[in-house]
Amino acid sequence: MINFRRPINDQEFPALILAAGASSRFGRPKVLLPLGAGGNEGKQILLDAAIAQGRLLSRDVRVVYGAWYPLIRFRCHRQPSLWLKAPDWHEGLSASLAAGIRSLGPTVKGVFVLLADQPLLDLNALKAFGNAARYVPEQPIAADYGSRPGVPAYLPRWLWPLVLDLEGDCGAGRLLAEVRATRVDIPGVHDDVDTPADWHRIRRFLSQTGRSARQSPR
């Protein structure tokens, strides 16, 4: 039986937020987009939401940056545990992922990976995902996108050498499929911000429903 009350060591399970891209499809730094029109949440930006999501998984939250730095750091209301530079961020997502993994120490058992543009992730489902990864630390776990696994994802240490071999603007989705990662349902994974139309739709949803809409009753 899994003991869900045993002590948690966040140094063994850090979280990486990949926020190094130039947002070329969006036309401006999308991580700086405001979450709402007013109130405390309205003053926060998209990256603030991602850092808050990361805090649900670990107290050790690291943001991998590239383009738009240091602007994104100065505009953040929430600060991560560490800002990590991806020197080759222009080469794509794989370079950001590699920079994050190379920052991790020898005692880390596995790492959570999040994107900075998924503000509608279900928070209860995200916490359940984090708990599952901590208590089966050798098993890769990823959000279920239907036809494929994707982020949020948990990458155990044994998988890192294969992740570091990835090239170009691709994440670990194909690799996670090859190693048969456990897939979990995290509502909101399809609601990412790639275009202004995406953001207008998501912002309307946020203004109508607020934070409670991102938490399913469980």
Side-chain angles (χ1 to χ4, degrees):
M1 179 180 294
I2 294 175
N3 178 13
F4 284 95
R5 294 185 178 181
R6 75 184 188 187
I8 291 174
N9 185 346
D10 280 316
Q11 293 181 339
E12 295 178 346
F13 300 95
L16 295 177
I17 298 172
L18 305 184
S23 306
S24 57
R25 282 185 289 179
F26 199 88
R28 61 188 173 115
K30 63 183 178 181
V31 295
L32 298 181
L33 293 168
L35 277 176
N40 290 333
E41 188 165 323
K43 297 177 182 178
Q44 298 180 41
I45 61 174
L46 196 58
L47 186 54
D48 286 317
I51 293 171
Q53 291 167 351
R55 295 284 185 208
L56 292 178
L57 299 173
S58 176
R59 284 171 293 185
D60 185 355
V61 178
R62 307 175 182 207
V63 172
V64 182
Y65 70 85
W68 307 109
Y69 187 87
L71 179 62
I72 61 172
R73 180 172 185 163
F74 295 147
R75 292 282 300 277
C76 252
H77 292 77
R78 287 189 172 97
Q79 291 295 314
S81 308
L82 192 64
W83 291 90
L84 296 170
K85 183 178 182 180
D88 302 323
W89 64 266
H90 54 279
E91 294 183 4
L93 197 58
S94 63
S96 298
L97 190 52
I101 286 179
R102 291 192 178 108
S103 77
L104 303 176
T107 63
V108 175
K109 293 182 177 180
V111 63
F112 298 105
V113 179
L114 294 153
L115 297 180
D117 64 351
Q118 294 179 312
L120 300 187
L121 294 181
D122 182 283
L123 303 185
N124 288 324
L126 193 63
K127 286 186 283 188
F129 154 74
N131 288 336
R134 287 173 181 275
Y135 293 100
V136 193
E138 295 298 312
Q139 175 62 27
I141 305 177
D144 188 354
Y145 281 70
S147 62
R148 61 182 176 87
V151 286
Y154 169 76
L155 309 178
R157 192 178 191 95
W158 65 263
L159 192 59
W160 296 358
L162 298 178
V163 176
L164 293 175
D165 285 339
L166 296 173
E167 296 179 348
D169 193 24
C170 67
R174 181 176 296 179
L175 179 59
L176 287 165
E178 291 175 355
V179 299
R180 298 186 178 182
T182 298
R183 301 191 193 187
V184 295
D185 181 30
I186 304 179
V189 294
H190 295 286
D191 294 307
D192 56 343
V193 181
D194 279 334
T195 67
D198 292 334
W199 178 243
H200 291 316
R201 174 178 53 80
I202 288 173
R203 194 175 188 189
R204 282 196 302 271
F205 179 82
L206 289 170
S207 67
Q208 294 168 1
T209 60
R211 177 173 294 273
S212 62
R214 303 194 295 282
Q215 302 181 30
S216 62
R218 298 190 181 190

